[in-house]
Amino acid sequence: MTNITLSTRGATAPASPIRALAALARAQADAGVTVHYLNIGQPDVATPEPIVQAYRDFDDTVLAYAPSDGYPALRTKLAAWYTGVGGLSRTVHADDIVVTTGGSEALLFAMTAVTDPGDAIIVCEPYYTNYSGYAHMLGIDTVPVTSTAACDWQVDAAAIEAAITPKTKAIVLPTPGNPTGRVLTHEELAAITDICVRHGLFFICDEVYRELVYKGPRGSRAPSLLDVEAADELAIVIDSASKRWSACGARMGWLVTRNTQVREASLRFGQARLSPATVDQYAVQAALDIPADWYDDMVDEYRHRRDVLVQALRDEGLDVTTPHGAFYLAVPLPVEDADAFCRWLVSEFTLDNETVCLAPLSGFYATDGAGRNEVRMTYVLNAPTLKRCAQILGAALQAWPAATPAPA
Ligand SMILES: Cc1ncc(COP(=O)(O)O)c(C=O)c1O
């Protein structure tokens, strides 16, 4: 084979730092080591029975394509759900929704609808690393604004405004945040909206963890950009079945926008890939009947896990801020190179034949060299396992200096 080459985009696509250590972890597991996976956001919370039952009940004689933007029945029910269990104050219409293959495809559609190659989006680092993956595919730049643990991972609206250039087309922010757990207030969403209005930018607000907030009474939800009236023309909200219903494998998501041009562009992208999955849409329809209590119990469980993990890490002498939402912790470690530490931890270190797989945080930053000593941990496993993981990490940190090769 001669003269056959990948595109530059294909050849230089970044590997996801979330999955980077998977092969090393698998090798350890094959060798009989118990590996605790705190590197990916795959909850162990049981998928609610109505969802599982919907798959069992599926009995169409043909597994057909669905409409490119999703079944109208699903979009209608979703729209009503937003102002019901979803807790929104403002109405969403079925036609504001495009059903996608996970929130991931919703992100891809949103970013593709509002940028051209050479354009830029502003992100607040550390940020959900797959924003970079899509930016790379689309040939656009991610321009970072940095947040820090010392400031409780606050988003600085003035810094966002200062980062805008003529190439900027959108601000992309998750709330609650991955990997920081940051939850934006209604006022913060409104302030960023104001910047977008003044500079003619879209605001892609990634709300896939909206129920997972730990302050406030049962039933609290993270404020939504859909409740900010001034954002109606520029808001694209990303949503998903994955986390709220512990249904990552359903690969069901959707975007919500009141901007008809964005909706129509997304629909055309949807037509190019023909249809979102069929059976999974029935499953999401069933999920929309899950009572509010179920969410409250899930949030209580994650809050408990968060508290146990934060305390256990502090007991190991680590300086950890308490996240307010989602199920991630960004943790600074007393090491210089968290990438090397995580590789060593999962491939060489064991405590009573157990080890932990973590995600190095450097890949969640766009600034070169940032986050080099930080890792992301997920609290998606049960509380005793999380406590054990903290002990393993503590023991590994004690052993690490000895394991580091002496400088040449
Ligand atoms: C912030 C954020 N947005 C979007 C997604 C995409 O999720 P999915 O494609 O499973 O809906 C994830 C997954 O981890 C996420 O953390």
Side-chain angles (χ1 to χ4, degrees):
M1 230 164 29
T2 52
N3 289 337
I4 185 158
T5 54
L6 284 183
S7 65
T8 309
R9 273 191 300 213
T12 59
S16 165
I18 302 172
R19 291 176 180 258
L21 302 176
L24 297 175
R26 210 173 311 117
Q28 280 293 66
D30 288 348
V33 174
T34 302
V35 182
H36 302 293
Y37 293 90
L38 299 194
N39 59 323
I40 57 169
Q42 171 58 66
D44 72 348
V45 170
T47 308
E49 183 56 24
I51 298 184
V52 178
Q53 194 58 43
Y55 285 104
R56 290 196 194 105
D57 289 347
F58 180 79
D59 68 352
D60 287 7
T61 48
V62 176
L63 194 48
Y65 287 123
S68 298
D69 53 353
Y71 286 121
L74 171 59
R75 293 189 291 105
T76 302
K77 201 166 167 184
L78 259 175
W81 176 86
Y82 269 113
T83 45
V85 173
L88 287 195
S89 311
R90 299 181 65 239
T91 306
V92 168
H93 298 286
D95 282 347
D96 301 335
I97 298 172
V98 175
V99 179
T100 54
T101 306
S104 300
E105 191 180 57
L107 275 166
L108 179 62
F109 284 4
M111 285 166 64
T112 313
V114 304
T115 63
D116 284 313
D119 287 339
I121 54 168
I122 292 178
V123 292
C124 186
E125 65 181 9
Y127 59 93
Y128 176 50
T129 177
N130 285 344
Y131 298 160
S132 287
Y134 289 130
H136 181 89
M137 280 166 70
L138 296 173
I140 61 176
D141 286 333
T142 41
V143 175
V145 169
T146 307
S147 69
T148 61
C151 299
D152 203 16
W153 306 111
Q154 291 294 314
V155 175
D156 182 354
I160 289 181
E161 187 152 21
I164 294 170
T165 70
K167 292 189 167 178
T168 310
K169 286 291 163 57
I171 296 170
V172 184
L173 280 178
T175 175
N178 169 6
T180 61
R182 169 183 50 234
V183 180
L184 296 175
T185 62
H186 183 85
E187 290 67 33
E188 286 168 328
L189 289 171
I192 298 166
T193 296
D194 179 57
I195 294 172
C196 290
V197 170
R198 285 189 283 105
H199 293 271
L201 305 179
F202 286 95
F203 187 171
I204 301 176
C205 196
D206 184 342
E207 302 187 1
V208 306
Y209 298 96
R210 209 162 69 81
E211 289 77 18
L212 292 174
V213 287
Y214 305 118
K215 274 193 195 153
R218 273 165 82 83
S220 294
R221 303 280 180 261
S224 171
L225 189 59
L226 295 169
D227 272 342
V228 179
E229 196 170 343
D232 281 357
E233 274 302 295
L234 52 85
I236 311 175
V237 166
I238 306 302
D239 217 336
S240 165
S242 294
K243 316 293 174 164
R244 66 160 54 88
W245 297 309
S246 206
C248 300
R251 306 310 306 130
M252 275 283 109
W254 53 94
L255 62 78
V256 189
T257 181
R258 297 182 175 107
N259 179 312
T260 47
Q261 286 180 308
V262 172
R263 183 192 141 68
E264 280 163 17
S266 303
L267 177 56
R268 292 194 296 273
F269 298 143
Q271 288 166 348
R273 63 81 166 104
L274 303 182
S275 151
T278 304
V279 190
D280 308 78
Q281 293 190 62
Y282 291 113
V284 173
Q285 285 189 60
L288 298 171
D289 294 327
I290 293 169
D293 284 6
W294 186 86
Y295 299 84
D296 297 339
D297 294 346
M298 171 183 67
V299 170
D300 286 349
E301 173 62 23
Y302 281 122
R303 185 189 295 105
H304 173 60
R305 292 174 176 197
R306 175 199 68 168
D307 293 345
V308 165
L309 181 60
V310 166
Q311 189 53 54
L313 291 171
R314 286 181 183 157
D315 290 347
E316 297 299 333
L318 294 170
D319 183 15
V320 187
T321 53
T322 303
H324 304 299
F327 43 52
Y328 304 95
L329 266 183
V331 187
L333 298 181
V335 300
E336 264 182 32
D337 183 350
D339 283 50
F341 174 77
C342 290
R343 269 198 310 277
W344 168 82
L345 170 61
V346 76
S347 56
E348 290 182 43
F349 182 82
T350 57
L351 184 67
D352 299 331
N353 208 35
E354 291 174 70
T355 191
V356 186
C357 190
L358 305 176
L361 211 65
S362 55
F364 292 68
Y365 286 83
T367 301
D368 256 1
R372 268 178 66 80
N373 69 327
E374 296 171 0
V375 292
R376 187 189 75 166
M377 302 175 82
T378 59
Y379 41 100
V380 291
L381 305 181
N382 63 54
T385 305
L386 292 173
K387 226 171 165 168
R388 179 71 184 144
C389 289
Q391 283 167 353
I392 297 169
L393 176 59
L397 287 167
Q398 298 276 328
W400 170 244
T404 313

